[in-house]
Amino acid sequence: MSAQILDGRTVAKEIQAELAAEAAALKEKYGITPTIAVVRAGEDPASVSYANTIKKTFESQGFGFRLHVLPETAPQEEMIKLVKELSADPGVHGIILQEPFPKGWDEARIKESLDPAKDVDGVHPVNAGRLAQVAPVGRPPGVLDYFVPATPLGGLELLKRYGITISGKRAVVVGRSNIVGKPMAMLLLREDATVTICHSRTPDLGAVCREADILCVAVGRAKLITADMVKPGAVVVDFGVNFVDGKMVGDVDFEAVKEVASAITPVPGGTGPMTNAMLLKNVLEAAKRQQNL
Ligand code: NDP
């Protein structure tokens, strides 16, 4: 039987409508428009395209959007100065640093120049550290005022909105980047899954993946996950974005795996739209926290 499709596009629309209503109320009551600043150096095509998507999403939902682009040849200090200025600007509630940074830039120093309270993609070490420290759901909460990267947050929200049980399940996350794999693993752990993280040095990836009740993949290689690597009935969350013959595909061989899995995210239309919705959510949350609301 074919898997249930976890329709990120539809769920993201519902979430965006909820957030747009909240943003409108914030504007009416306090005169605040939750605003994001997107910052990058250079014109990496994927970054340009992502910034355009953010602009479209934010402006269509009544949020503010600002774009700051430095030349790729700019010195790193110029970026640090800009990030500090935006961090101090009361009209900006959230900041996104688009990568890749120009060669030779010190990634850690740039991220650390962000105000963690405006770090709506959870890249500052304070936010990443708090995610690692936060108590499991249902236990006395740890620090709550932190931000989680929008992509894994969206993946988790999609599972929750479809009522998929996470607690007690075996979860496998393929990929260990700071922006997708690692935070996804932390979120699943917080939800009481038993979590394994795989990466490029994991031997026999298929054997580990076959143990998963929930399989999350964030690698960036088309068809890395084939049907024989998936346990029958598993839930599969595909974060991958790849282009094959001009067509966007994920990391999972969707057509074959959907015949084995019980639920699966499509690409496009799965985790991608959820990322945009979670970015709105984080910016709204940042704006509220900055007003002590
Ligand atoms: P990175 O390149 O930063 O990380 C890729 C990870 O995959 C690394 O941990 C790497 O391991 C691991 N990996 C590489 N090859 C293999 C392999 N053969 N077997 C197992 N693991 C492997 O990518 P990102 O995390 O930034 O992005 C991952 C994917 O998600 C990309 O396709 C990206 O475009 C997409 N993406 C999607 C978003 C969305 O909104 N849906 C948002 C952000 C990204 P190692 O650490 O050992 O190198």
Side-chain angles (χ1 to χ4, degrees):
M1 206 181 80
S2 211
Q4 178 182 29
I5 303 301
L6 304 175
D7 179 358
R9 204 170 272 146
T10 301
V11 173
K13 270 195 194 135
E14 286 164 20
I15 296 172
Q16 285 181 10
E18 294 161 18
L19 298 170
E22 242 197 280
L26 198 67
K27 194 168 181 179
E28 187 167 322
K29 210 162 168 194
Y30 302 100
I32 298 160
T33 301
T35 297
I36 192 167
V38 175
V39 181
R40 70 166 182 265
E43 298 293 339
D44 168 63
S47 297
V48 172
S49 156
Y50 185 37
N52 288 338
T53 304
I54 297 174
K55 178 175 164 41
K56 219 165 99 188
T57 307
F58 273 64
E59 291 182 346
S60 67
Q61 304 303 324
F63 284 60
F65 172 87
R66 287 205 214 161
L67 179 64
H68 298 265
V69 183
L70 296 179
E72 203 179 346
T73 50
Q76 155 179 311
E77 294 312 314
E78 205 177 312
M79 175 60 91
I80 291 175
K81 185 168 164 273
L82 173 62
V83 172
K84 286 186 173 167
E85 278 167 12
L86 292 170
S87 290
D89 182 341
V92 170
H93 305 100
I95 302 168
I96 282 224
L97 300 174
Q98 289 197 293
E99 295 186 47
F101 296 131
K103 280 199 180 65
W105 281 20
D106 179 346
E107 184 186 320
R109 261 197 74 208
I110 294 164
K111 290 178 178 170
E112 283 163 25
S113 65
L114 267 172
D115 177 353
K118 294 190 179 181
D119 169 31
V120 287
D121 216 10
V123 298
H124 191 286
V126 164
N127 285 314
R130 285 181 177 165
L131 173 61
Q133 287 181 339
V134 75
V137 170
R139 307 263 174 84
V143 184
L144 290 175
D145 60 339
Y146 64 100
F147 287 108
V148 178
T151 299
L153 196 59
L156 181 73
E157 185 65 24
L158 196 54
L159 293 177
K160 288 189 164 181
R161 295 228 173 190
Y162 274 93
I164 287 164
T165 305
I166 301 172
S167 177
K169 299 292 181 189
R170 282 294 310 269
V172 171
V173 179
V174 188
R176 57 174 164 183
S177 71
N178 289 330
I179 199 76
V180 194
K182 250 186 269 176
M184 189 66 203
M186 288 298 152
L187 288 171
L188 291 164
L189 187 61
R190 180 172 176 254
E191 299 286 331
D192 295 325
T194 301
V195 184
T196 303
I197 306 178
C198 301
H199 45 77
S200 66
R201 311 292 163 87
T202 302
D204 202 350
L205 182 65
V208 186
C209 290
R210 273 191 299 277
E211 291 175 6
D213 303 309
I214 300 172
L215 177 62
C216 302
V217 191
V219 171
R221 277 186 56 181
K223 293 197 180 178
L224 176 72
I225 305 297
T226 48
D228 61 312
M229 297 165 83
V230 177
K231 176 158 103 177
V235 173
V236 179
V237 178
D238 189 353
F239 291 108
V241 177
N242 310 287
F243 288 90
V244 176
D245 300 330
K247 195 173 157 230
M248 191 198 281
V249 296
D251 290 343
V252 174
D253 182 355
F254 180 81
E255 288 305 324
V257 170
K258 79 175 181 359
E259 301 306 322
V260 180
S262 63
I264 187 168
T265 59
V267 177
T271 56
M274 291 300 292
T275 295
N276 301 327
M278 291 301 108
L279 201 51
L280 281 173
K281 184 174 192 282
N282 279 353
V283 173
L284 179 65
E285 183 60 33
K288 289 194 321 199
R289 282 186 207 158
Q290 285 156 39
Q291 308 300 321
N292 296 317
L293 296 172

